[in-house]
Amino acid sequence: RSIANGQTFPATVIGFDRSHDIAVLQLGGGGLQPANIGNSDTVTVGEPIVSLGNAGGVGGTPSAVDGRVAALNQTVSASDSLTGSTETLNGLIQVDAAIRPGDSGGPTVNAANQVIGMNTAASENYHLGRGQGFAIPINEAMGIARQIQGGGGSPTVHIGPTAFIGVGVNDAPGGAGAVVKQVIPTGPAAGAGLNPGEVITSINGQPVNSATALTAILDQHHPGENIQVGLQDRTINVTL
């Protein structure tokens, strides 16, 4: 939704690279002003920034918090609350700004109003008022985006729509699989009879030993495909 006039635009997923937390969407319609992209190679510790996003996922006018660049080339482990998967992101810009969950995907801009990073993670201490967040350098983000736009699939780059199975999972104890914590009522898994508490152990015969492994395997598939989901005591067919 455009904040300027309330207009909405249809969007299509062109592709994504989950290992770098980057996706490319194509918007329909027109009249949108592109962001002013800067050069993240010139970012320096101490320079002022503003980070924008959708703090708390509440929508409406974007949140905007100011701060400074605290460090460069940082590494963090980020988790996805729905899929239960984790990813390690490298080379990040750390900012002393109160980035919150929901701000991910928003821009961090410099004093010249140039985008230098894309927000990707918030510190677990954000609720204590200790502003700290992490952004993907915009040069890296744009490089991956160009690869996706060129149709360059790879072991980490998925081209096309995202397959959806409709479960929230966590790691099962002892690497026994991905335990289902939530089943989306209208999703494919619910329609196939998958229940909370069951443990997914394989997809099409590929072992699933964690929530992250489940996500990685599903990234190889597309909507409409039929997969065999192995559980601890049975196997079900699910159309993604």
Side-chain angles (χ1 to χ4, degrees):
R1 174 182 293 273
S2 170
I3 299 302
N5 58 21
Q7 189 175 0
T8 60
F9 300 88
T12 301
V13 176
I14 302 300
F16 61 86
D17 182 341
R18 193 183 301 275
S19 66
H20 292 93
D21 211 18
I22 299 291
V24 175
L25 281 72
Q26 182 176 18
L27 296 182
L32 291 173
Q33 179 66 39
N36 184 14
I37 302 298
N39 180 4
S40 53
D41 288 344
T42 64
V43 173
T44 58
V45 173
E47 71 172 285
I49 55 89
V50 174
S51 293
L52 300 96
N54 180 22
V58 297
T61 302
S63 57
V65 291
D66 64 330
R68 293 186 179 275
V69 174
L72 303 173
N73 199 30
Q74 298 299 292
T75 298
V76 301
S77 179
S79 61
D80 186 309
S81 58
L82 177 62
T83 67
S85 64
T86 60
E87 58 192 2
T88 299
L89 303 172
N90 301 294
L92 303 182
I93 299 170
Q94 181 179 336
V95 296
D96 285 338
I99 292 177
R100 297 173 52 197
D103 283 330
S104 293
T108 287
V109 302
N110 61 15
N113 196 31
Q114 298 169 328
V115 179
I116 58 168
M118 190 180 80
N119 304 333
T120 189
S123 165
E124 292 181 350
N125 293 324
Y126 73 90
H127 58 284
L128 300 177
R130 301 172 189 167
Q132 187 179 85
F134 299 88
I136 301 164
I138 197 61
N139 291 13
E140 177 184 349
M142 294 300 288
I144 295 170
R146 284 190 289 270
Q147 179 186 352
I148 294 171
Q149 286 174 300
S154 75
T156 63
V157 173
H158 174 103
I159 302 298
T162 308
F164 175 72
I165 190 171
V167 295
V169 297
N170 287 136
D171 292 346
V179 58
V180 176
K181 306 298 288 187
Q182 177 186 8
V183 178
I184 307 303
T186 58
L194 191 62
N195 301 305
E198 295 193 273
V199 177
I200 298 174
T201 58
S202 68
I203 299 290
N204 288 348
Q206 290 181 269
V208 171
N209 54 24
S210 67
T212 302
L214 175 62
T215 299
I217 292 173
L218 290 176
D219 278 354
Q220 302 168 16
H221 296 277
H222 291 84
E225 292 183 25
N226 186 273
I227 61 171
Q228 282 195 328
V229 179
L231 306 172
Q232 284 184 318
D233 57 355
R234 62 192 179 112
T235 299
I236 61 174
N237 291 316
V238 178
T239 299
L240 298 171

